[in-house]
Amino acid sequence: MAYLPHTEEDVKEMLEVIGVREIKDLFSPIPEGCLLKEPLSIPEGLSEQELFSLMEGLSRDNDVDHISFLGGGIYRHYIPKGVEHILLRSEFYTSYTPYQPEVSQGTLQAIFEYQTLICQLTGMEVANASMYDGASALAEAILMAQRINRRKKVVLSSALHPEYREVVRTYLLDRAEIREVLYCTETGRTLPESIEGLVDEDTCALVVQHPNFFGSLEDLKGLGEVIHGKGGLFIVAVAEPLCLAILKPPGKFGADIVVGEGQSFGLPPYLGGNTLGFFASRLSYLRQMPGRIVGETVDVHGERAFVLTLATREQHIRRERSTSNICTNANLSALAATVYLCLLGKEGLRQLASINLKMAHLARERLSSIKGFRSAFTAPVFNEFVLHTEKDVDGLLKALKEKGILGGLPLGRFYRELRGSILVSVTEMNTEEEIEKLAQEMETYG
């Protein structure tokens, strides 16, 4: 039977309050041609066997045999089989909220270990139990900075991921004055001297990505000194955290808040999700952090135990005092990252990062040697870089796809001045033979 929560009297009263005579009047702003006049034309329900056969047939249309050089915020890495094996254990896969510590010690300890790993990678003092994704974590970081210093002006690097910037602008629509500083067209990085005229005593925070959207490594030390000289906070976003295994962490360069996307750690590149936002900061800002924080204590028997120490969200405290309206953490994704990092270990992670670095530089050198192609920027990179060409980028990428190669991300969709540029990402999943195949196809194009 239909679930109808409102009586006719309820509906009549609500319509009177908003000044509408009938329910259909609520749809008057919608063009007549867009209104549905009859039921949706969808097939009847299927049995389990019929549905399975249908989905199996649809799956055959998936093209999964491409050689991929796509990056730009989501990266393809090998995931050890142990990650999925542990992740799908029922005590982890079906558990949700760790509100009852006496029955949630496994979940709480996993989160605690995750927080510890994020602190070690970022060089920060405290991390929360994870967030939805890197973009929303960055927006929450700016809101946190505003709570700390009560300033409204925010300076973003234009080399910050375009979609991160879009999310930030949506979050801060009426809460901040946002200004962007242009990247250096030679180096592909944000220059400290370029932000000096934008940063002043009213600036809440400077936000940069490291490595930035072009793959270039930023001058974190110089940028941090400029914003700190004006009393603002330095926020660093990291979309490819594998780099932190061999690069000096942002915390060592004076970052006040470090956020990013943890998808590289044990999560495949799904179609838009699920992903993982990590969030770390200085200990002095602990009470302004969004989300949950798990802490370590002892139980009544003196044994080591874990509890939900802080949860400054509106479900736990008065709404006006909450630091975020994000309702939960990406618990299962955080567990995947924890298992992944623990399986690789410190040395394994360094070796993996070194392989990514080596393969990317090999590809950068080989592709830049092709006539009609050159490296767009001079700054050092980790595992992705921008390649510029005078040839038709869309035509080139289409031709490569027909050869079974996803050649990279066209940057013209984000930056008008980079319509002739491609962002190329290389990980341990790309072999020297694949790089050479890409180079040969590019040599013969046009």
Side-chain angles (χ1 to χ4, degrees):
M1 59 180 290
Y3 176 62
L4 302 174
H6 303 120
T7 65
E8 290 185 11
E9 290 75 15
D10 292 334
V11 173
K12 182 179 179 181
E13 183 180 351
M14 287 187 285
L15 291 176
E16 288 177 353
V17 170
I18 62 178
V20 177
R21 293 185 59 186
E22 300 180 66
I23 290 179
K24 68 177 183 179
D25 294 335
L26 295 172
F27 301 93
S28 59
I30 301 176
E32 187 70 20
C34 297
L35 291 172
L36 186 65
K37 301 295 181 62
E38 56 189 28
L40 289 171
S41 178
I42 56 176
E44 296 294 324
L46 301 175
S47 68
E48 179 180 329
Q49 180 180 348
E50 291 170 331
L51 179 61
F52 186 84
S53 297
L54 173 65
M55 299 306 293
E56 193 175 46
L58 292 174
S59 70
R60 297 191 188 102
D61 293 333
N62 290 333
D63 193 346
V64 296
D65 296 326
H66 280 93
I67 298 170
S68 178
F69 293 93
L70 290 174
I74 297 293
Y75 302 92
R76 196 170 61 106
H77 293 289
Y78 180 77
I79 302 173
K81 299 303 180 185
V83 174
E84 182 177 345
H85 178 76
I86 296 174
L87 200 67
L88 296 184
R89 288 182 61 93
S90 60
E91 58 264 50
F92 290 124
Y93 196 64
T94 61
S95 63
Y96 174 52
T97 52
Y99 296 137
Q100 297 174 285
E102 67 275 12
V103 295
S104 304
Q105 284 300 294
T107 295
L108 288 165
Q109 182 174 356
I111 294 175
F112 183 84
E113 302 297 347
Y114 163 81
Q115 293 172 176
T116 303
L117 291 165
I118 294 300
C119 286
Q120 291 174 342
L121 283 168
T122 60
M124 303 306 287
E125 298 166 321
V126 61
N128 70 13
S130 78
M131 307 196 81
Y132 293 154
D133 54 60
S136 59
L138 176 58
E140 291 286 350
I142 298 174
L143 292 176
M144 174 177 162
Q146 289 186 322
R147 291 193 296 272
I148 293 170
N149 58 28
R150 305 296 178 181
R151 301 177 180 182
K152 290 195 68 174
K153 183 178 175 182
V154 177
V155 176
L156 306 179
S157 166
S158 60
L160 175 66
H161 196 302
E163 292 170 354
Y164 282 37
R165 283 184 278 139
E166 187 175 347
V167 170
V168 166
R169 289 185 179 278
T170 301
Y171 256 74
L172 303 176
L173 186 62
D174 299 316
R175 301 187 184 188
E177 175 191 343
I178 300 176
R179 296 187 182 181
E180 288 192 15
V181 57
L182 297 178
Y183 63 88
C184 174
T185 56
E186 179 184 348
T187 64
R189 67 201 310 192
T190 312
L191 299 179
E193 54 267 29
S194 67
I195 66 170
E196 290 178 348
L198 290 177
V199 173
D200 54 31
E201 284 74 11
D202 294 324
T203 303
C204 168
L206 168 66
V207 182
V208 299
Q209 180 179 327
H210 179 73
N212 64 29
F213 185 61
F214 307 131
S216 301
L217 304 186
E218 293 282 12
D219 175 13
L220 295 186
K221 184 175 185 295
L223 295 169
E225 288 174 349
V226 174
I227 185 63
H228 287 151
K230 299 296 183 179
L233 298 185
F234 188 30
I235 301 175
V236 178
V238 184
E240 172 51 296
L242 179 61
C243 72
L244 299 177
I246 55 175
L247 297 180
K248 194 173 181 179
K252 301 298 183 182
F253 289 107
D256 298 294
I257 305 173
V258 181
V259 298
E261 176 56 64
Q263 175 270 327
S264 285
F265 296 151
L267 297 169
Y270 294 113
L271 296 175
N274 59 322
T275 56
L276 168 67
F278 64 85
F279 196 116
S281 84
R282 297 192 178 281
L283 183 60
S284 56
Y285 304 140
L286 173 64
R287 289 194 173 275
Q288 295 299 333
M289 287 183 68
R292 308 166 173 171
I293 296 174
V294 171
E296 181 182 0
T297 184
V298 293
D299 62 18
V300 293
H301 304 293
E303 299 292 333
R304 185 189 190 205
F306 301 92
V307 295
L308 198 60
T309 303
L310 288 177
T312 52
R313 61 187 190 144
E314 60 187 29
Q315 288 184 337
H316 293 97
I317 63 177
R318 292 199 301 272
R319 180 173 297 179
E320 64 272 13
R321 297 188 61 190
S322 65
T323 59
S324 172
N325 62 3
I326 285 184
C327 295
T328 186
N329 67 302
N331 199 8
L332 198 65
S333 296
L335 176 62
T338 304
V339 175
Y340 177 90
L341 291 170
C342 290
L343 285 176
L344 266 69
K346 184 183 296 185
E347 291 305 316
L349 204 64
R350 284 176 178 165
Q351 292 176 16
L352 180 62
S354 297
I355 293 172
N356 277 247
L357 180 70
K358 174 187 174 183
M359 298 303 290
H361 282 75
L362 186 153
R364 188 187 195 188
E365 182 178 350
R366 175 68 178 92
L367 299 180
S368 298
S369 68
I370 301 173
K371 184 179 180 180
F373 294 85
R374 62 177 175 82
S375 182
F377 303 118
T378 60
V381 300
F382 173 58
N383 69 352
E384 59 187 335
F385 55 91
V386 177
L387 197 66
H388 182 77
T389 180
E390 297 301 325
K391 299 182 180 182
D392 174 24
V393 167
D394 292 335
L396 169 63
L397 294 177
K398 183 179 180 181
L400 289 173
K401 187 176 181 180
E402 291 173 352
K403 296 291 186 177
I405 303 173
L406 301 177
L409 183 67
L411 292 181
R413 60 182 287 195
F414 302 114
Y415 300 87
R416 183 177 300 177
E417 69 275 16
L418 295 177
R419 281 175 292 187
S421 298
I422 305 169
L423 181 64
V424 180
S425 176
V426 185
T427 73
E428 77 281 2
M429 301 292 283
N430 300 110
T431 64
E432 292 188 29
E433 290 75 18
E434 290 177 346
I435 294 172
E436 183 57 32
K437 182 177 180 180
L438 171 63
Q440 290 176 1
E441 295 296 339
M442 291 172 66
E443 285 175 330
T444 59
Y445 176 75

